[in-house]
Amino acid sequence: MTASLFARPQDEPLAARMRPRTLDEFIGQDHILGHGRLLRRAIAADQLSSVIFYGPPGTGKTTLARVIANSTAAHFIAINAVLGGVKDIREAVAEAQQRQRAGQRTILFVDEVHRFNKAQQDALLPWVENGTVVLIGATTENPYFEVNKALVSRSRIFQLKPHDANELIRVAKQALRDRDRGLGTFDTRVDDDALDHLVNVANGDARAVLNALELAVITTEPDVDGVVHVTRQVAEESIQQRAVLYDKEGDAHFDTISAFIKSVRGSDADAALYWLAKMVYAGEDPRFILRRLLILASEDVGLADPQALGVVAAAAQAYDYVGLPEGRYHLAQATLYLATAPKSNSTMGFFDALETVRSEREAEVPNPLRDGNRDAEGFGHGAGYAYPHAYRDHWVAQQYLPGALQGKVFYQPSDQGAERRVRDEVARRREAQLAAMLEHDAQAPTETLTTGPTDRARDRWLERTVSAAGARLAAVRDAIVEAADLARHHVVLDLAAGSGLLTWEAVRRTPEGLVVAVTAEARHATTLREQAARLAELERPVVLEAEPRAVASALSLHERTRDLRFDRVFGRSTLGSILEPVGWLVDLAALMLPGGSVVLAENDASRAQRLSDLIDWSDAEALGEQVRAAEATLYQEAGAWTPARLRVLALEAGWGDAVVAETPVVADQRLATTSLDRWLGSDDAPGTYAQTLRAALGDDLARAVARRYRAQLTDRVVPWRSTVVTLRARWSA
């Protein structure tokens, strides 16, 4: 079975011959295979668990399986789901069981795993679940839609993205140089514009580039000097039409129509035309597109432009009369009309009403609204109904909603287009309607207008670890993590890990990445390592012991971090120990991946809690004002990390996109005697705070204030306020 997928006879296409054999030969997909990423570490350590590789053709899914086959000590079996079935699965499992008894693991690679039907996937599930085989699945379709949910839940999903132009150029040049497997035996000259054309039309598909390059080289006659010259014209003949990834039943279909609808909804006419063109080019049924536009005309334009539905309906009818290719004009007109129309989703009020009908107790029709044709005389149905056309403006205030729903709002007119004109009138009539319902005193209640398998034990332990750091710092942690915007595959550096407040949150959010925690204290490093030991080896953070100012040196001395570059670096209260913050930030940039961000959170001492605000000054208001004035000189110190100072610091160091945010933090704090002693000191040795009071008030008044503080604050629990300033800056070099 292995030979059917991985054998490489010399007459194979260039793309097959040039498949990378090791991770070092692999080009692209740095978000999952870069240094420090979980998948790279798992392959290198031969500790791979079940995975599914998901991505378009030519991105390296089968190649990754080849790399794993070349680097693992486990037995490797490969099946193609198009050709294989339950019989092949049973044979593979039987072989795996035999090797398991001999102490050897088995990795089962299933190419095009989404092609297995439910019965075939169910036949595979128990052997993945009990560890008889480690599954590697490859699929071009979204596994969440096309693969058994139980298989997905037991696997990590790694999404491979189309190659960018630089990566495809590297792939092509590698093939041109390789004499053993590539085109290196030819004396070849490929013009830059020819290579650019091949790369551009290949649309991120490495296989397409290599196959077109091979065709161009072997079909071009050498010149008199024996040189095969590939010009732009030759390249155009070798790959004439862009390969558009578009399967009408697959992910690309749904993603593209989604992008189209969202572009129209977002009033971006250019993007809407682009996605429309992509669908038409790929052969999408125009009637499907028009049906979606008909929905959008009511859902997203609605009464902001009541003509929108008619315009699209007319375009749909015109397309039926005309057909392709001229019918594309009607598609474009309908798209542009909706993209440029004012938007309103007020028709969504219907679904609020539907939910009310579904969830509320059934309400009776108000008596005046009932049909009185049959029983008006017997039951009085319809009595009291006011006929609107008999009144001025053809409207009269009366009860239409059931009594229990008076005041309920379903329709919310927007302020866009034609709907703007009816908004005020609707509101005015609602007010009058309610005023007329004197018999309904009770108002209705106010309307409240890279994944992987879940390891519950691991999540519970991480939750306990994070919460143990203290609820007092949760707001600071949340502000930093939100600003960091962590992705599952990020490589993260925590500059001042301390007890692990940020470290464990980063570990939880980057399961396919890596976290490096740096702490200045040996006891903290020991604690972090002991806690990390409870995680699987590949999930543990790397713990280093160093001051923030020496982090680069510490990284260079550790085997696992020597060559690491980081997507995100963050730290809490790190700048206080840095003598030259600008130079330190410049050095920090050398540790970043392009586009990486640093997030620093510092306390703004100028807005720290004022002790005077905790005191009752009602019997000494003038003294209170004097104390507040003295405090101002103490808190407005030059060293405060204000938003402006942090932003200037980042810009001076060459970081871009510097954004600052402020987070007020309030936490209960017990003011113990030791805290007061630190601030106030004694009569003979006053603390810094008391010295400031003495300088402003004199010794006697300062002593009186100190006595008042001790009397009112000792052992009291107070809401302690502080302000944390968060800086986020991006490195784009």
Side-chain angles (χ1 to χ4, degrees), residues 582 643-653:
V582 173
R645 186 183 177 199
L646 279 177
R647 190 171 187 277
V648 168
L649 175 66
L651 296 178
E652 287 181 353

Side-chain angles (χ1 to χ4, degrees), residues 175-188 217 226:
L176 289 169
R177 291 192 303 266
D178 194 309
R179 299 183 62 86
D180 295 330
R181 299 181 296 153
L183 302 171
T185 56
F186 293 87
D187 188 358
T188 307
V217 171

Side-chain angles (χ1 to χ4, degrees), residues 155-176:
S155 307
R156 287 191 183 274
I157 311 297
F158 291 96
Q159 185 174 7
L160 283 71
K161 307 298 288 183
H163 295 285
D164 62 30
N166 290 332
E167 291 168 350
L168 291 182
I169 289 174
R170 288 172 57 198
V171 167
K173 290 184 176 179
Q174 185 183 65
L176 289 169

Side-chain angles (χ1 to χ4, degrees), residues 365-378:
V365 176
N367 193 64
L369 302 187
R370 293 189 178 188
D371 179 13
N373 291 321
R374 296 165 299 166
D375 50 18
E377 187 174 341

Side-chain angles (χ1 to χ4, degrees), residues 327-374:
R328 291 180 292 187
Y329 290 115
H330 307 115
L331 273 171
Q333 181 179 350
T335 297
L336 289 173
Y337 190 95
L338 294 181
T340 57
K343 303 298 189 296
S344 169
N345 69 341
S346 60
T347 55
M348 296 295 290
F350 165 76
F351 298 97
D352 292 336
L354 193 63
E355 180 58 30
T356 298
V357 171
R358 183 183 296 116
S359 59
E360 298 274 348
R361 180 180 176 181
E362 185 175 353
E364 290 188 343
V365 176
N367 193 64
L369 302 187
R370 293 189 178 188
D371 179 13
N373 291 321
R374 296 165 299 166

